[in-house]
Amino acid sequence: MFWLQQIFNGITQGSIYALMAIGYSIILGIIGLVTFVHGEVIMIGAFAGFFMVTFLKANFFLAVLAGFAASWLLGIIIERVCYRPFRSGPREIALIATIGLSILLRSLSQVTFGTEQKLMPDLLNSHFIPLGQIRITNIQLLIIFTVFILALLLHQFFYKTKTGIALRAVSMNKQAAALLGVHVNRTILLGNALGCALGGVSGVLLGIYYNSVHPVMGASVAMKAFTATVFGGIGSIPGAALGGILLGIFENLGVAIFSSGYRDIISFSILILILLIRPQGILGRKELER
Amino acid sequence: MTAILQTANLSKSFGGLHAVEAVNLEVERGHIHGIIGPNGAGKTTLFNLLTGTYTPSRGEIYFNGLSITRLSPERIARLGIARTFQNIKLFKYMSVLDNVKIGFHTQTETSFWDAFFHTSRFHRDERIAAQKGFEILTRVGLAKHADDLASNLPYGTQRKLEIARALATQPQLLLLDEPAAGMNPAETAELIDFIRKLNQEGLTIIIIEHDMKLIMNLCHRITVIHHGEKIFEGTPVEVQNHPGVIEAYLGKGRLNPSAV
Amino acid sequence: MASFKQKLVYFLSAIALLMFPWFIQNDYWLRVAIMIGLYIILASSLNLINGYTGQFNIGHAGFYCIGAYTAAILATRYHFSFWLLLPLSGIVAALFSILIGLATLRLKGIYFSMTTLGFSEIIRLTVLNWASLTRGPMGIPGIPLPELFGFHLASNRHFYYIVLALTGIMLFLSKRVISSRIGRAWIAIREDEDAARAMGVETFRYKLYNLIFGTFWAGVAGCFYAFFTSFISADSFTLDEGFSILAMVLVGGQGNLIGPVIGAASLTILPEIFRNMAQLRLVIFGAAILIMIYLRPQGLAGSSILSQKYHYPKIQRHSPPKHQGQQEVSP
């Protein structure tokens, strides 16, 4: 039962990772570059949710919405500051720009929000729901439910709407998409904003799950998003989701065996193992040697 | 049998797309061997297979009778196959001479220790790279540009530098991917002479080229590739009179064979 | 060959650097000078990796941390000498880089970057959690003073000369490697990895050599830092520390030896001048990176060569026409 409990906790955590990884994958696809500012996007989303809850006494839904909106906005800024001006330059310039922005956002948040950890109020009256022998909280269920709904919506968006299809087209081939009449600049802006917004939501969910938000939470969290993306296979959104959930499960099992202080170390070891054994991930295509 | 390079059933597919399909190629030592075909026929993919940039999906490659099928590009380069690239890949922000010096990488062996303490081996290697590099630049007429940045050279001259750099590796087999692209007629004529001279010195050469005059002028044998498959092989005269070849080109409407 | 004028400049600056502690009576500024030296080693070693082979290491602080802890643990528990620990700390840091390199250097550059980022954080967390070895959050105090021929090197003046010598040796050896066959191979990898391989350069091996050489110096710097401050804790090796080093390289200009020196010096002095801005240190660094990228992407000391490389049209409305038949088949 102990292990079943750990697996369930892992799925909860993993669903948050999955959401981050999906957002990360969308950005990776649409921009064609890794971003180093994603951790800060998640952090800003978490703080947006936190302020919504503490100052406006908002409910869960509004907090999630605030995280979504704040990070969406940030996504637009990021695209304008880091990507658009450098699209025709060498790739590392845009990469460096994301690093600069990441340092700036993180240090500014530390200055404005303070360096200490902020406690997220328990806005859902957290309690256990008995389910057989494992203990499940209503918060866990709500998190999994939220991610599940978002994933469904995303699927509909990507396959049923014109904008979603345009997004996929631009991810595959910008020139071909432009020839087909897709407004590439706008689509890139939108895709980046969407990927960031999902990061923002996962930030809020993390804040609620751990009862806390912190200006430097971004770095380790972004690493999780990357690990989950690599785990599932870069370039595959279902892969990112699967990678996220598996990462959550492995991480929790590892924590159960060692100790919670080693959580990030475990997930990093998983990343190194994947890179050594199967760098293309579970669902990824093989051509990623340079 | 004096084939320097042989492929057996060489194939490469990307996803479902057969870029190169069951190609059997045989290049005689001392020959200039042309590879022609419409755009997208798989010629560059073939070069990428021969030099190890891509791993074949199926088939084998033999160089001097030894299989090089799954070797890395650097191993293949060391064995004596050098190449130029269709979309010029110079070391742009290095000097022209330094570009050629890289070609001597495999013939020198300076270690960290040698570099730290400027041992005699360091001095010997630097002398080899500088002297021989300069000789090669002189041969291709680039000596006066030795200290210029590679990226500052005009397009046609960059192609020459690519050849010079490839020659620096002392290859037995040289693969030229559209060497005349972007050159004016005078430069092309000069290039033809130069390639012929290299060949007379014993270098085997494979050329991909759209300039039919160059191909017909230089090549001992020509392989025609279409849709990734070898559709014909023969002497220039045979190729010019082969109906299938004309069709392949006419079908694409890119080249007028009567102009050949 | 350096001209006479160049030699004179080198000679005079060497004299100036040697005399510096005798002009500066203020111990505070001497400490700043020592920190500049330390950051020059860190930034220059990072520049060897990022600027010369075009890999993108963002977790240099992790290797620095390993060097510092190696030195601190071996010095406090087993009384190893400072002079032995300098190379030893470098070697231990380099061993970890081999592990990272083996896992990532065959893959696209981005895997390397993200892995170094994660590595840096993981090392810090391991240090915090493995209390039996590292005393966890309490840090390691009481690192003894270095000794030389029986003398304790205690004053800042002594440490100034040590770091000056280390910086000098590091830059000298780097220069020699860069202007050799090895350095040419590194730069060729940066410029075009496919072409480098076609020239017979074993790119994986040379990237690994490069990483080992660069991280070795980060380890050496860590050892120096441990002895200099006599107390270390995980707080000194956060991701922000790594980002600071990166900022120095980027602001100074990568791909040449003088850039990181200028970057390290200016970004170490800048927060000191505005003392009350200490907490804004990283805000300044982040902003500095962004400003540099817009105004002078090649960095303060970047050559005009690189400005050409980084020259990009401000607004691009149409994608450039592809050279016909540029890619016959795209996978």
Side-chain angles (χ1 to χ4, degrees):
Chain A
M1 270 319 108
F2 174 74
W3 296 109
L4 206 61
Q5 178 74 50
Q6 294 310 318
I7 288 175
F8 184 77
N9 293 349
I11 291 175
T12 312
Q13 192 140 25
S15 60
I16 303 180
Y17 292 163
L19 194 59
M20 295 192 293
I22 293 172
Y24 201 86
S25 285
I26 294 174
I27 298 171
L28 207 63
I30 201 90
I31 303 286
L33 270 180
V34 173
T35 157
F36 288 108
V37 70
H38 205 59
E40 280 56 54
V41 168
I42 294 170
M43 180 267 293
I44 294 287
F47 266 91
F50 168 76
F51 286 125
M52 206 67 183
V53 171
T54 43
F55 290 135
L56 299 176
K57 306 278 176 270
N59 60 20
F60 174 79
F61 178 72
L62 282 178
V64 166
L65 206 65
F68 189 92
S71 297
W72 177 285
L73 215 63
L74 185 55
I76 290 177
I77 296 171
I78 291 171
E79 205 272 342
R80 294 287 169 148
V81 173
C82 299
Y83 299 133
R84 186 164 301 188
F86 310 115
R87 214 178 286 160
S88 57
R91 297 158 61 88
E92 65 256 33
I93 291 283
L95 224 70
I96 292 169
T98 64
I99 287 190
L101 191 61
S102 144
I103 298 175
L104 191 65
L105 283 175
R106 184 149 33 91
S107 47
L108 271 179
S109 321
Q110 277 177 289
V111 173
T112 44
F113 305 148
T115 46
E116 69 285 356
Q117 160 157 314
K118 300 261 182 301
L119 282 188
M120 190 81 149
D122 178 7
L123 74 171
L124 288 165
N125 183 25
S126 144
H127 58 270
F128 287 109
I129 298 166
L131 190 87
Q133 278 166 298
I134 57 174
R135 291 150 65 86
I136 292 173
T137 66
N138 56 337
I139 292 184
Q140 287 182 310
L141 282 183
L142 193 60
I143 287 173
I144 295 175
F145 179 72
T146 310
V147 172
F148 183 70
I149 293 291
L150 275 172
L152 272 186
L153 286 175
L154 277 174
H155 188 269
Q156 291 297 309
F157 170 72
F158 274 119
Y159 286 88
K160 298 286 155 61
T161 69
K162 218 177 144 188
T163 324
I165 293 168
L167 258 171
R168 288 197 297 139
V170 172
S171 297
M172 285 176 205
N173 188 332
K174 291 190 181 47
Q175 273 154 352
L179 287 176
L180 293 173
V182 175
H183 195 310
V184 174
N185 275 351
R186 201 186 300 154
T187 311
I188 290 180
L189 187 64
L190 179 89
N192 192 56
L194 178 65
C196 288
L198 295 177
V201 172
S202 55
V204 177
L205 296 183
L206 269 181
I208 290 171
Y209 192 48
Y210 284 128
N211 306 317
S212 70
V213 292
H214 194 278
V216 294
M217 67 192 278
S220 83
V221 159
M223 207 52 218
K224 303 283 170 66
F226 180 75
T227 306
T229 312
V230 172
F231 202 162
I234 281 186
S236 155
I237 289 181
L242 183 64
I245 288 175
L246 286 179
L247 178 65
I249 293 174
F250 280 127
E251 202 183 279
N252 270 277
L253 291 179
V255 165
I257 296 170
F258 302 103
S259 95
S260 64
Y262 286 97
R263 178 180 294 280
D264 292 350
I265 302 173
I266 291 161
S267 72
F268 182 72
S269 315
I270 292 175
L271 174 66
I272 294 284
L273 278 178
I274 302 164
L275 290 179
L276 282 171
I277 299 165
R278 196 180 158 83
Q280 71 271 35
I282 302 171
L283 300 181
R285 283 160 292 142
K286 210 182 160 179
E287 302 278 337
L288 42 73
E289 295 100 90
R290 52 187 315 158
Chain B
M1 191 56 62
T2 52
I4 186 167
L5 185 88
Q6 261 182 310
T7 70
N9 214 14
L10 189 63
S11 309
K12 176 71 181 175
S13 46
F14 297 106
L17 184 68
H18 299 292
V20 170
E21 182 63 25
V23 168
N24 293 302
L25 186 71
E26 202 172 303
V27 178
E28 297 277 307
R29 185 182 301 279
H31 268 188
I32 300 180
H33 195 112
I35 292 178
I36 61 170
N39 274 327
K43 304 183 297 289
T44 295
T45 308
L46 180 64
F47 266 22
N48 284 337
L49 288 170
L50 296 180
T51 54
T53 308
Y54 295 153
T55 319
S57 311
R58 269 174 294 116
E60 291 287 325
I61 308 166
Y62 300 95
F63 179 59
N64 286 328
L66 294 170
S67 171
I68 54 165
T69 313
R70 261 158 247 290
L71 295 186
S72 64
E74 54 267 33
R75 287 286 302 282
I76 292 175
R78 235 167 228 276
L79 288 174
I81 301 183
R83 73 174 295 186
T84 66
F85 294 87
Q86 180 186 17
N87 45 342
I88 302 177
K89 280 173 171 283
L90 288 172
F91 307 119
K92 284 189 179 171
Y93 299 94
M94 291 174 91
S95 76
V96 167
L97 182 59
D98 277 350
N99 264 274
V100 179
K101 278 184 179 175
I102 297 283
F104 292 95
H105 182 86
T106 55
Q107 300 151 56
T108 48
E109 44 198 2
T110 301
S111 65
F112 273 97
W113 183 267
D114 298 322
F116 289 161
F117 301 108
H118 278 193
T119 61
S120 59
R121 180 151 57 176
F122 168 84
H123 288 295
R124 188 201 64 197
D125 284 351
E126 289 304 301
R127 206 167 43 236
I128 291 176
Q131 274 177 7
K132 291 195 182 168
F134 209 78
E135 277 168 29
I136 290 175
L137 285 182
T138 313
R139 280 200 69 181
V140 297
L142 284 175
K144 59 180 178 297
H145 295 296
D147 294 327
D148 293 357
L149 273 193
S151 60
N152 286 350
L153 296 178
Y155 195 70
T157 318
Q158 290 194 8
R159 291 223 174 265
K160 276 194 214 161
L161 178 55
E162 268 218 329
I163 298 178
R165 189 180 65 176
L167 288 176
T169 66
Q170 318 282 11
Q172 299 174 43
L173 175 64
L174 178 62
L175 311 187
L176 300 174
D177 197 344
E178 296 195 23
M183 286 189 174
N184 61 37
E187 284 176 320
T188 306
E190 200 185 310
L191 178 73
I192 291 177
D193 287 343
F194 184 61
I195 293 174
R196 186 170 289 137
K197 203 156 79 188
L198 288 175
N199 178 246
Q200 279 160 2
E201 288 166 15
L203 188 61
T204 312
I205 298 169
I206 308 180
I207 306 182
I208 293 176
E209 187 50 70
H210 284 300
D211 186 331
M212 286 303 140
K213 212 168 110 201
L214 182 145
I215 286 280
M216 298 302 165
N217 242 318
L218 276 174
C219 294
H220 300 99
R221 282 190 88 73
I222 297 170
T223 299
V224 188
I225 292 189
H226 189 41
H227 292 315
E229 292 178 43
K230 178 165 122 179
I231 57 169
F232 186 70
E233 188 183 310
T235 63
V237 180
E238 288 165 355
V239 167
Q240 286 176 57
N241 298 323
H242 186 79
V245 177
I246 297 167
E247 200 183 286
Y249 273 98
L250 274 183
K252 280 299 223 182
R254 286 202 191 274
L255 268 178
N256 185 356
S258 61
V260 167
Chain C
M1 289 294 112
S3 68
F4 174 72
K5 213 168 156 189
Q6 259 175 318
K7 278 182 184 158
L8 192 70
V9 171
Y10 286 146
F11 182 70
L12 289 179
S13 28
I15 299 280
L17 286 170
L18 284 171
M19 302 292 284
F20 179 77
W22 306 94
F23 291 121
I24 294 290
Q25 298 304 322
N26 184 339
D27 218 36
Y28 170 77
W29 282 106
L30 198 54
R31 274 188 81 88
V32 172
I34 294 167
M35 290 313 283
I36 291 176
L38 176 72
Y39 279 118
I40 288 177
I41 300 177
L42 286 166
S44 300
S45 61
L46 181 61
N47 174 45
L48 283 172
I49 300 167
N50 291 16
Y52 283 94
T53 49
Q55 307 177 60
F56 207 65
N57 173 4
I58 31 188
H60 212 45
F63 302 105
Y64 176 40
C65 179
I66 287 173
Y69 267 89
T70 306
I73 291 167
L74 291 179
T76 51
R77 294 201 185 177
Y78 304 102
H79 312 292
F80 276 48
S81 114
F82 171 70
W83 307 104
L84 175 64
L85 281 172
L86 274 178
L88 200 60
S89 310
I91 289 169
V92 174
L95 286 178
F96 276 88
S97 79
I98 294 177
L99 186 72
I100 302 276
L102 288 178
T104 58
L105 287 180
R106 284 184 204 278
L107 306 170
K108 275 186 186 160
I110 193 52
Y111 290 92
F112 172 76
S113 302
M114 289 306 288
T115 308
T116 54
L117 179 73
F119 171 74
S120 166
E121 191 62 3
I122 292 320
I123 289 299
R124 190 181 67 84
L125 289 170
T126 309
V127 161
L128 275 178
N129 281 289
W130 193 351
S132 59
L133 182 72
T134 62
R135 291 172 41 92
M138 290 177 294
I140 300 180
I143 300 163
L145 291 166
E147 271 179 48
L148 190 64
F149 309 122
F151 289 105
H152 282 292
L153 303 177
S155 77
N156 278 341
R157 224 171 250 183
H158 293 145
F159 279 103
Y160 175 84
Y161 284 118
I162 295 173
V163 83
L164 184 63
L166 285 176
T167 313
I169 295 170
M170 191 261 162
L171 289 176
F172 176 76
L173 293 181
S174 302
K175 179 154 179 52
R176 286 209 151 177
V177 172
I178 284 158
S179 49
S180 78
R181 165 182 181 266
I182 298 169
R184 279 195 297 273
W186 288 349
I187 299 170
I189 291 169
R190 176 189 78 194
E191 292 294 316
D192 194 315
E193 195 164 342
D194 284 337
R197 300 185 82 180
M199 296 291 107
V201 176
E202 305 87 340
T203 50
F204 174 69
R205 192 193 307 172
Y206 276 82
K207 282 194 278 186
L208 198 56
Y209 287 167
N210 174 268
L211 190 61
I212 291 171
F213 189 58
T215 52
F216 171 84
W217 289 104
V220 172
C223 172
F224 174 82
Y225 177 77
F227 278 88
F228 174 55
T229 55
S230 85
F231 166 78
I232 57 167
S233 76
D235 293 343
S236 308
F237 308 102
T238 56
L239 276 181
D240 283 339
E241 186 67 13
F243 281 140
S244 304
I245 302 167
L246 186 68
M248 290 168 187
V249 176
L250 294 174
V251 168
Q254 43 181 352
N256 66 75
L257 285 176
I258 196 73
V261 175
I262 291 173
S266 46
L267 286 191
T268 310
I269 293 174
L270 197 65
E272 301 292 341
I273 295 175
F274 309 100
R275 211 81 70 82
N276 52 346
M277 284 166 76
Q279 55 161 349
L280 289 182
R281 182 166 169 261
L282 278 153
V283 180
I284 298 171
F285 285 13
I289 293 180
L290 283 175
I291 292 169
M292 288 306 285
I293 280 200
Y294 276 92
L295 299 183
R296 202 177 154 80
Q298 77 272 31
L300 285 174
S303 57
S304 51
I305 295 174
L306 281 169
S307 80
Q308 207 177 0
K309 173 171 182 182
Y310 290 140
H311 181 77
Y312 39 83
K314 272 286 170 228
I315 298 162
Q316 197 208 12
R317 295 189 190 284
H318 305 286
S319 45
K322 253 187 150 182
H323 172 60
Q324 207 184 19
Q326 186 144 9
Q327 236 179 342
E328 294 212 317
V329 175
S330 55

